[in-house]
Amino acid sequence: IHFDSTGNLYVSNIGNNSLSIFDPNGNFSTSITNLPTSFDSAVSPDGDVYISGYSLIANKWMILKYDSTGNFKSGFTDSNLNFPMGMEFDSSGNLYIANQGNSTIGVLNSVGVYSTLISGSANGYLSGPRFIAFDQSVPEPSSVVLTTAIVLFGTIARLFNLNSKVTFKTLAFSRQPDP
């Protein structure tokens, strides 16, 4: 799920290959349908909606781009996309992608060029990332928080510093059961 700057909520529906959009009051607004199996969505600073998924017809992972009303604009695929589970934009319009299938973090820059930023196989500290989010307390894009498990059951998060070199810090979280 993602929110845009106006408070609209975007929910990927993997069961019916669609993306539902709700207004800030929780009312259903619109839906983008007939998607490939979709896993995540992200809203760019200019309001376009990006959806990650797998096309059985094309037999490849892809990122699809729609305008805010659900009209298709373009698509992107790259051999380094592999189970893109989590996506997040920085304020400059760069899309960071957590690829669970090959344990990498990639970035699709604002002009459409994709590159691998962090590789789990290279540093051994990234294994199957599922979510990605910017640490809002630090000026972006200096840090990205990556989680490798569901917070509800407890998780390990790794904080990567994306300045001149990649560094990490492991943070352990646990959730106490509700009474």
Side-chain angles (χ1 to χ4, degrees):
I1 64 172
H2 281 276
F3 288 94
D4 65 17
S5 61
T6 62
N8 293 311
L9 173 66
Y10 297 77
V11 180
S12 296
N13 299 305
I14 194 169
N16 63 6
N17 297 336
S18 67
L19 178 79
S20 297
I21 304 170
F22 299 87
D23 70 20
N25 296 317
N27 300 309
F28 175 78
S29 172
T30 190
S31 185
I32 301 172
T33 59
N34 298 318
L35 297 172
T37 303
S38 58
F39 294 100
D40 197 17
S41 62
V43 182
S44 69
D46 62 3
D48 287 330
V49 180
Y50 288 68
I51 300 169
S52 68
Y54 187 80
S55 171
L56 294 173
I57 296 169
N59 195 31
K60 62 177 81 173
W61 297 100
M62 54 184 51
I63 307 293
L64 303 174
K65 179 180 176 181
Y66 293 82
D67 68 17
S68 60
T69 61
N71 296 308
F72 178 76
K73 291 179 84 173
S74 64
F76 169 80
T77 188
D78 186 278
S79 62
N80 292 311
L81 285 179
N82 189 331
F83 215 123
M85 287 290 290
M87 300 188 301
E88 190 69 38
F89 277 95
D90 65 19
S91 61
S92 299
N94 299 306
L95 179 62
Y96 291 81
I97 303 166
N99 290 295
Q100 182 183 13
N102 61 7
S103 296
T104 63
I105 300 298
V107 61
L108 180 62
N109 71 19
S110 58
V111 295
V113 176
Y114 183 83
S115 59
T116 298
L117 191 61
I118 302 170
S119 175
S121 59
N123 63 30
Y125 300 118
L126 184 65
S127 177
R130 294 186 180 109
F131 308 101
I132 188 167
F134 284 100
D135 179 352
Q136 300 298 326
S137 67
V138 180
E140 61 178 87
S142 63
S143 63
V144 176
V145 176
L146 312 172
T147 61
T148 57
I150 300 171
V151 174
L152 178 64
F153 301 110
T155 186
I156 301 297
R158 292 197 168 102
L159 180 66
F160 288 86
N161 182 339
L162 301 180
N163 285 328
S164 58
K165 71 176 202 178
V166 175
T167 59
F168 78 98
K169 179 179 181 182
T170 301
L171 308 169
F173 296 94
S174 64
R175 180 183 184 276
Q176 300 298 319
D178 293 332

